[in-house]
């Protein structure tokens, strides 16, 4: 009886954990006009640490873009826009790239 209960409990826990712990499998490329090195290094790199569903990956002043790794199920553009507005920046466009491999789909 205890073995069956233990197996059932572990299965239930793992099922609930995987449903709430989504993988960050989408890259979002955000175009930001007038993006500076100061914006990237002093503001944006650290600013996205507050969001558990987004990771700051890289930024480029040459292409005026930043790249975020996100969980597409919980991603909210309004959160990005609020973050950018803190430093007087505005997103000009978003591009999404799903990075999950076909082996993940099985």
């Amino acid at each position: 009886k205890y073995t069956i209960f233990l197996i059932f409990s572990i299965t239930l826990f793992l099922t609930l954990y995987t449903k709430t712990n989504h993988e960050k499998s989408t890259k979002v490329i955000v175009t930001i006009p007038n993006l500076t090195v100061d914006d990237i290094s002093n503001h944006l790199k650290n600013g996205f640490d507050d969001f558990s569903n987004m990771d700051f990956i890289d930024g480029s002043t040459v292409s005026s873009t930043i790249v975020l790794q996100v969980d597409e199920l919980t991603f909210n553009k309004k959160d990005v826009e609020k973050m950018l507005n803190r430093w007087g920046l505005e997103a000009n466009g978003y591009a999404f790239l799903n990075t999950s491999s076909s082996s993940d789909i099985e």
Side-chain angles (χ1 to χ4, degrees):
K1 289 182 178 183
Y2 292 110
T3 306
I4 292 173
F5 178 73
L6 180 65
I7 292 171
F8 176 74
S9 298
I10 291 171
T11 304
L12 181 62
F13 171 76
L14 291 175
T15 302
L16 292 174
Y17 177 77
T18 55
K19 285 185 178 181
T20 58
N21 187 23
H22 302 289
E23 184 179 336
K24 297 174 190 167
S25 61
T26 301
K27 285 189 178 178
V28 178
I29 302 165
V30 184
T31 305
I32 305 167
N34 304 321
L35 186 65
T36 66
V37 173
D38 188 50
D39 293 328
I40 295 169
S41 59
N42 294 334
H43 304 302
L44 301 177
K45 272 188 182 179
N46 300 323
F48 283 99
D49 287 343
D50 296 340
F51 299 97
S52 62
N53 63 337
M54 288 186 258
D55 292 331
F56 181 87
I57 302 298
D58 200 8
S60 169
T61 57
V62 174
S63 62
S64 296
T65 59
I66 60 170
V67 179
L68 306 172
Q69 188 83 22
V70 304
D71 171 10
E72 69 178 294
L73 299 176
T74 60
F75 176 72
N76 187 341
K77 285 177 27 175
K78 289 182 182 182
D79 290 338
V80 174
E81 291 170 4
K82 285 179 189 176
M83 174 65 64
L84 295 174
N85 287 335
R86 285 185 192 174
W87 296 285
L89 301 171
E90 187 174 326
N92 195 18
Y94 292 84
F96 296 85
L97 176 64
N98 191 328
T99 59
S100 64
S101 67
S102 60
S103 64
D104 295 340
I105 298 175
E106 298 179 303

